[in-house]
């Protein structure tokens, strides 16, 4: 019995205890929950940001169309300390959103040329926005854009690149305008150090994308165009948006038919003005070097070359020096200027000439007196231009070259001729002996000075005389004499006693004179009559004797 009991106890010890089923079941349940948790959690992605401003672990959300699809779990510095790394846990069923061309950016308050955005994050805090892509390749590490993308990836249109070597002030978001309508915007602006130029990525929306062709030209739009010319002042203003933000506009050159629609990635030059774009389409050029005696102040590259007011070319460089130019070729220190004759400006008939024909005909024109001079184009701005004209008195033309460029014969301008005449006049004046003239002038000045002294003394004497009491009383005495004279004359007015007595006296005097008149006649005719008496009468003459 004891053996049987011992064997039974041994068998019971070898059997597993049901108590172990409890931890085993708990472990299985834990594994099951862990599995469910793993399959129910979304994918984990990594975002690389320049700065973690506004990002908080456990708070910053990932949103698509304002719907939360994930949350930032942690934020740390990058391994190379260049930026920060944010670990994000996405929601389940979001794997399809995480493809190669998906885009992330931080939404926060922004004030820029494209307006004000992100004001709703002032209270709620910044969040990261996800724009799903259309690629088929999945991705788990993404860069965070510094600025929101300018457009959605599926928006129809055309993307082109504009290049500019000038200092432009365009920025991402600036509008692309066509005839007053905003048809696109600048998506990116980069400066290439190797080429030393700006490159702008431009997107034009459909259906306006059909307007961008092979012959399209782009230029800056300032919003206010000011032109001062011979016909007056022309001021044109664009829309308020173009005035505030500027932008870019485009179009086809006058007289040029539209080409084929541009493809994505096409490259165009960005011109500072429409006039610069128009001038650049004349790509057929015949270049000459001019040697100017005049000052080139005000003559800038791009200035016109005209013949009787018709533009036939453009100034290319002022001054123009090359390494293969010899110093002794610039006699009298003349300034070399590169100009280009542009046959396309003159019509289709001139374009048919080949370069050799142009050279030969221009040589013939030079022999006939074609010369170039520098002239003032605008007195207000001081701009200059090159004027071509035939001069019948021009000297004989001798062909010459500087480097590989033929020399275009030139003459001094009228301004320089006037300066030369003035210089000659000054030389003649400097050669005159002015000492006798100076001595005469000196004597004249001395005499004039003495005369002025005499006049000063006379003036002082007159002033002294006028200041005497007797002189000052003289006007009163004269006034009294005049009053006495007036009273006397009043007594001789008609009807006054004195007047009647005066008339009677005159009458008596007249009678006396009448009585004395015969005596006066006698004395006039025979003064001896007072002594000898009147003469006897003449003897009578007999009638027979007559």
């Amino acid at each position: 019995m004891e053996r049987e009991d011992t064997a039974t106890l041994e068998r019971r010890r070898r059997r597993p205890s049901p108590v172990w089923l409890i931890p085993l079941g708990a472990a299985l349940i834990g594994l099951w929950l862990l599995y469910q948790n793993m399959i129910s959690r979304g994918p984990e992605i990594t975002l690389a940001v320049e700065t973690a401003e506004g990002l908080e672990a456990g708070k910053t959300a990932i949103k698509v169309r304002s719907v939360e699809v994930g949350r930032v779990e942690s934020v740390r510095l990058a391994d190379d300390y260049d930026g920060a790394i944010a670990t994000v846990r996405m929601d389940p069923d979001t794997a399809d959103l995480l493809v190669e061309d998906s885009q992330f950016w931080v939404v926060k308050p922004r004030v820029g040329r494209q307006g004000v955005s992100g004001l709703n994050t002032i209270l709620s805090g910044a969040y990261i926005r996800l724009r799903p892509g259309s690629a088929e390749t999945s991705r788990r590490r993404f860069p965070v854009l510094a600025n929101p993308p300018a457009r959605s990836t599926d928006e129809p249109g055309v993307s082109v690149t504009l290049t500019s070597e000038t200092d432009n002030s365009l920025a991402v978001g600036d509008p692309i305008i066509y005839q007053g309508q905003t048809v696109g915007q600048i998506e990116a602006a980069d400066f290439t150090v190797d080429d030393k130029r700006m490159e702008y990525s431009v997107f034009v929306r459909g259906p306006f994308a059909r307007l961008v062709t092979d012959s399209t030209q782009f230029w800056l739009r300032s919003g206010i165009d000011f032109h001062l010319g011979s016909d007056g002042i022309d001021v044109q203003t664009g829309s308020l948006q173009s005035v505030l933000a500027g932008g870019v506009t485009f179009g086809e050159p006058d007289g040029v038919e539209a080409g084929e629609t541009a493809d994505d990635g096409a490259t165009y030059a960005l011109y500072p003005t429409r006039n610069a774009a128009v001038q650049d389409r004349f790509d057929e050029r015949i270049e000459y070097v001019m040697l100017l005696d005049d000052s080139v102040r005000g003559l800038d590259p791009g200035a016109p070359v005209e013949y009787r007011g018709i533009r036939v070319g453009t100034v290319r460089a002022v001054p123009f020096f090359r390494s293969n130019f010899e110093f002794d070729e610039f006699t009298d220190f003349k300034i070399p200027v590169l100009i280009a004759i542009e046959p396309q400006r003159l019509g289709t008939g001139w374009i048919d000439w080949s370069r050799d024909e142009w050279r030969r005909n221009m040589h013939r024109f030079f022999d006939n007196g074609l010369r170039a001079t520098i002239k003032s184009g605008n007195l207000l701005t001081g701009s200059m231009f090159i004027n071509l004209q035939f001069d019948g008195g021009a000297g004989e033309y001798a062909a010459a070259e500087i480097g590989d460029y033929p020399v275009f014969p030139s003459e001094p301008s009228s301004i320089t001729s006037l300066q030369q005449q003035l210089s000659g006049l000054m030389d003649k004046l400097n050669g005159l002996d002015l000492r006798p003239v100076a001595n005469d002038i000196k004597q004249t000045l001395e005499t004039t000075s003495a005369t002025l002294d005499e006049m000063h003394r006379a003036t002082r004497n007159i002033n002294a005389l006028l200041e005497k009491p007797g002189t000052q009383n003289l006007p009163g005495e004269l006034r009294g004499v005049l009053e006495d004279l007036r009273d006397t004359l009043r007594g001789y007015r008609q009807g006054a006693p004195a007047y009647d007595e005066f008339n009677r006296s005159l009458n008596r005097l007249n009678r006396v004179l009448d009585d004395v008149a015969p005596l006066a006649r006698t004395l006039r005719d025979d003064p001896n009559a007072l002594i000898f008496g009147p003469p006897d009468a003449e003897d009578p003459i007999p009638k027979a004797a007559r």
Side-chain angles (χ1 to χ4, degrees):
M1 289 294 295
E2 291 180 1
R3 294 180 179 176
E4 182 179 356
D5 293 337
T6 302
T8 301
L9 290 174
E10 290 292 335
R11 287 195 298 268
R12 289 178 179 178
R13 290 176 180 175
R14 293 177 181 175
R15 286 185 300 179
S17 175
V19 178
W20 292 102
L21 296 176
I22 297 175
L24 179 60
L28 293 176
I29 293 173
L31 291 175
W32 173 256
L33 292 176
L34 179 61
Y35 172 75
Q36 289 294 330
N37 183 45
M38 293 183 62
I39 64 174
S40 62
R41 295 178 66 183
E44 182 182 270
I45 62 174
T46 302
L47 300 180
V49 295
E50 292 183 359
T51 175
E53 179 184 3
L55 303 183
E56 296 184 29
K59 292 184 178 181
T60 304
I62 311 298
K63 295 183 179 181
V64 177
R65 299 184 183 274
S66 300
V67 177
E68 184 175 342
V69 295
R71 189 170 290 272
V72 175
E73 290 186 339
S74 64
V75 180
R76 62 179 179 84
L77 285 175
D79 295 337
D80 55 358
Y81 305 109
D82 186 13
I85 301 297
T87 302
V88 177
R89 176 63 63 180
M90 301 295 294
D91 290 349
D93 302 328
T94 58
D96 294 339
L97 304 177
L98 307 173
V99 292
E100 188 67 32
D101 56 348
S102 296
Q103 295 176 320
F104 291 83
W105 69 92
V106 179
V107 178
K108 56 185 178 181
R110 298 177 186 271
V111 179
R113 296 185 179 182
Q114 44 282 58
V116 181
S117 62
L119 294 181
N120 59 330
T121 61
I122 295 177
L123 299 178
S124 62
Y127 65 90
I128 298 176
R129 184 173 177 180
L130 165 62
R131 173 177 290 174
S134 58
E136 297 181 355
T137 305
S138 62
R139 187 176 179 181
R140 290 297 180 267
R141 184 180 177 90
F142 300 89
V144 177
L145 303 178
N147 296 296
R151 62 182 175 95
S152 60
T153 55
D154 56 350
E155 185 176 3
V158 62
S159 295
V160 298
T161 301
L162 305 182
T163 62
S164 174
E165 296 181 357
T166 59
D167 182 16
N168 299 324
S169 57
L170 297 175
V172 176
D174 283 352
I176 307 299
I177 299 173
Y178 181 81
Q179 296 185 359
Q181 300 294 323
T182 301
V183 299
Q185 58 187 351
I186 296 177
E187 294 184 328
D190 297 313
F191 180 78
T192 57
V193 179
D194 295 336
D195 298 332
K196 296 181 181 179
R197 66 182 184 183
M198 288 294 300
E199 291 188 357
Y200 299 98
S201 178
V202 172
F203 177 75
V204 179
R205 301 191 306 271
F208 302 103
R210 296 196 301 268
L211 300 174
V212 183
T213 65
D214 297 339
S215 56
T216 299
Q217 291 180 314
F218 290 82
W219 61 90
L220 293 176
R221 179 182 177 89
S222 61
I224 300 179
D225 294 331
F226 179 85
H227 174 70
L228 177 63
S230 58
D231 54 350
I233 299 176
D234 181 21
V235 180
Q236 296 181 356
T237 60
S239 62
L240 179 61
Q241 182 183 15
S242 64
V243 172
L244 297 178
V248 176
T249 186
F250 63 94
E252 306 291 340
D254 296 336
V256 177
E257 297 182 357
E260 298 292 334
T261 303
D263 298 328
D264 282 336
T267 302
Y268 296 87
L270 178 61
Y271 299 96
T273 62
R274 177 181 176 84
N275 183 62
V278 171
Q279 301 305 326
D280 192 65
R281 70 186 181 93
F282 302 111
D283 54 359
E284 191 69 28
R285 302 183 181 94
I286 302 174
E287 295 180 331
Y288 291 88
V289 170
M290 292 175 50
L291 299 178
L292 295 179
D293 293 313
D294 309 279
S295 171
V296 294
R297 179 185 294 273
L299 184 65
D300 300 321
V305 177
E306 298 182 357
Y307 173 74
R308 295 184 178 180
I310 300 175
R311 183 163 183 171
V312 297
T314 303
V315 176
R316 302 287 294 170
V318 182
F320 181 67
F321 291 102
R322 286 293 182 269
S323 58
N324 58 347
F325 287 1
E326 297 293 338
F327 182 77
D328 55 1
E329 294 175 336
F330 302 101
T331 58
D332 300 331
F333 298 98
K334 296 182 178 181
I335 305 299
V337 174
L338 179 66
I339 66 171
I341 304 298
E342 298 162 339
Q344 293 167 319
R345 296 179 181 273
L346 304 176
T348 56
W350 301 81
I351 300 176
D352 295 336
W353 287 0
S354 64
R355 281 186 172 271
D356 293 337
E357 290 176 328
W358 265 102
R359 297 290 187 189
R360 290 194 298 270
N361 284 287
M362 291 298 293
H363 194 283
R364 180 168 54 88
F365 295 155
F366 298 155
D367 290 336
N368 292 331
L370 181 64
R371 297 294 184 268
T373 57
I374 184 172
K375 284 193 173 183
S376 174
N378 192 303
L379 296 177
L380 295 178
T381 61
S383 60
M384 310 292 285
F385 72 99
I386 300 299
N387 182 60
L388 307 183
Q389 59 185 4
F390 283 94
D391 185 2
E396 184 179 355
Y397 168 70
E401 288 188 356
I402 295 181
D404 298 331
Y405 299 90
V407 176
F408 199 110
S410 61
E411 293 179 342
S413 65
S414 57
I415 298 177
T416 302
S417 300
L418 179 61
Q419 291 176 346
Q420 293 176 352
Q421 294 176 2
L422 291 176
S423 177
L425 178 61
M426 293 302 298
D427 292 338
K428 292 180 180 179
L429 291 177
N430 291 332
L432 294 176
D433 187 6
L434 300 179
R435 284 177 296 179
V437 178
N439 294 330
D440 293 342
I441 294 176
K442 181 178 179 181
Q443 294 176 359
T444 302
L445 290 176
E446 292 176 350
T447 304
T448 303
S449 179
T451 304
L452 291 176
D453 293 339
E454 293 292 337
M455 292 179 64
H456 289 162
R457 286 193 293 270
T459 302
R460 287 194 297 269
N461 294 334
I462 293 173
N463 291 334
L465 179 62
L466 293 177
E467 291 175 355
K468 291 182 178 180
T471 305
Q472 295 178 356
N473 296 331
L474 183 61
E477 296 176 356
L478 290 176
R479 185 167 55 252
V481 172
L482 290 175
E483 290 178 355
D484 294 341
L485 180 61
R486 185 169 59 250
D487 294 339
T488 302
L489 292 177
R490 287 175 183 171
Y492 288 95
R493 289 184 301 180
Q494 188 175 1
Y499 179 79
D500 295 337
E501 182 65 26
F502 182 71
N503 285 335
R504 286 192 296 270
S505 299
L506 289 178
N507 291 330
R508 287 194 297 269
L509 180 61
N510 288 332
R511 287 194 297 270
V512 170
L513 291 176
D514 292 340
D515 294 339
V516 175
L519 178 60
R521 284 193 298 271
T522 300
L523 293 175
R524 184 190 62 189
D525 296 337
D526 188 7
N528 298 327
L530 293 176
I531 300 174
F532 300 103
D536 296 333
E538 295 181 358
D539 295 334
I541 300 174
K543 294 181 179 180
R546 294 176 182 176

